[in-house]
Amino acid sequence: AQSVSQHNHHVILSEAASLELGCNYSYGGTVNLFWYVQYPGQHLQLLLKYFSGDPLVKGIKGFEAEFIKSKFSFNLRKPSVQWSDTAEYFCAVNARRDYKLSFGAGTTVTVRA
Amino acid sequence: DAMVIQNPRYQVTQFGKPVTLSCSQTLNHNVMYWYQQKSSQAPKLLFHYYDKDFNNEADTPDNFQSRRPNTSFCFLDIRSPGLGDAAMYLCATSSDWSRETSYEQYFGPGTRLTVT
């Protein structure tokens, strides 16, 4: 079974700062990779996903993530955060053609105005 | 808009009193999932339905059951809730796994369960 680790539990930064959240997974086979975001009081929403092709994927709200196969990593980035990016961010992985989505523990991002 | 709906959004129940949480979807997806999410933790899969086929995770307590009377609806039954069952319960859907786009799961807003 695959496992997912997110490097930071809580990140605090100021508006316009750059954000990078680390995600590593352990699984030797082909995987699908996701970043979900959960805004306060709202449901989990998909930010971006990677199935195959260009390892640099762009998502909604200016987020992007890079899949580095050799490092088993799928880090999330945003060049300039806004106060509205305050949320919890979850990295998730499933093995190709497997129903089970494994989540990381989540990173709480607080953006100060 | 096609979506995943959960009712109620907040549920309070007494210790040991059975409770049912509801999920419905307008996406016409054939796979439905139930997750438990405790504070500051990752969602934990309890079980899923692939059409009418029920699949329980090995570590899901017997106290948790599920029903799926049709494609659109799925219920989570907690037979005798304990204090440790207080959590957010998330319903999600995905389409047929045989298609690549199926790997994405769509989540409902969740039901926050309080056990008194």
Side-chain angles (χ1 to χ4, degrees):
Chain A
Q2 58 269 27
S3 66
V4 183
S5 62
Q6 292 184 236
H7 305 164
N8 308 97
H9 183 63
H10 195 180
V11 171
I12 301 172
L13 58 166
S14 300
E15 276 194 311
S18 64
L19 173 70
E20 180 159 0
L21 302 182
C23 173
N24 285 90
Y25 65 93
S26 64
Y27 182 71
T30 304
V31 293
N32 306 303
L33 299 154
F34 307 85
W35 275 97
Y36 282 88
V37 61
Q38 191 169 27
Y39 297 104
Q42 296 189 28
H43 60 281
L44 277 166
Q45 301 172 46
L46 185 69
L47 263 183
L48 45 78
K49 59 191 176 188
Y50 173 80
F51 295 153
S52 62
D54 188 345
L56 183 63
V57 292
K58 294 193 184 299
I60 61 171
K61 307 187 184 208
F63 285 91
E64 65 179 30
E66 185 175 13
F67 171 48
I68 303 179
K69 190 175 181 180
S70 60
K71 294 185 177 180
F72 297 89
S73 70
F74 190 56
N75 293 351
L76 180 71
R77 298 193 290 253
K78 185 170 183 177
S80 177
V81 294
Q82 300 172 313
W83 177 80
S84 58
D85 293 322
T86 294
E88 183 125 23
Y89 293 80
F90 292 94
C91 181
V93 175
N94 69 346
R96 188 61 56 90
R97 297 192 181 281
D98 186 2
Y99 66 91
K100 189 164 184 175
L101 196 58
S102 295
F103 283 88
T107 298
T108 302
V109 173
T110 302
V111 180
R112 292 191 287 215
Chain B
D1 283 343
M3 57 199 315
V4 182
I5 302 159
Q6 290 188 244
N7 286 305
R9 294 292 305 276
Y10 301 90
Q11 175 74 57
V12 180
T13 191
Q14 292 176 335
F15 183 94
K17 185 174 181 182
V19 67
T20 294
L21 310 182
S22 168
C23 176
S24 64
Q25 53 127 342
T26 59
L27 296 158
N28 204 32
H29 284 169
N30 56 340
V31 191
M32 294 186 78
Y33 309 80
W34 279 104
Y35 290 85
Q36 180 192 64
Q37 185 181 22
K38 295 191 175 180
S39 183
S40 302
Q41 294 183 23
K44 176 181 177 296
L45 182 65
L46 295 173
F47 26 61
H48 76 277
Y49 273 94
Y50 190 119
D51 291 325
K52 291 186 179 296
D53 293 334
F54 176 72
N55 298 271
N56 202 30
E57 292 300 298
D59 57 354
T60 298
D62 292 341
N63 198 25
F64 292 85
Q65 303 287 321
S66 185
R67 296 171 282 133
R68 190 179 184 185
N70 54 52
T71 301
S72 301
F73 284 86
C74 196
F75 300 98
L76 170 62
D77 300 309
I78 309 176
R79 292 191 297 188
S80 182
L83 298 178
D85 296 328
M88 178 75 87
Y89 290 88
L90 303 173
C91 176
T93 71
S94 68
S95 60
D96 192 329
W97 297 323
S98 63
R99 291 183 279 148
E100 188 175 272
T101 54
S102 70
Y103 304 125
E104 180 179 341
Q105 293 187 17
Y106 296 78
F107 285 84
T111 294
R112 183 166 296 283
L113 179 69
T114 300
V115 182
T116 61

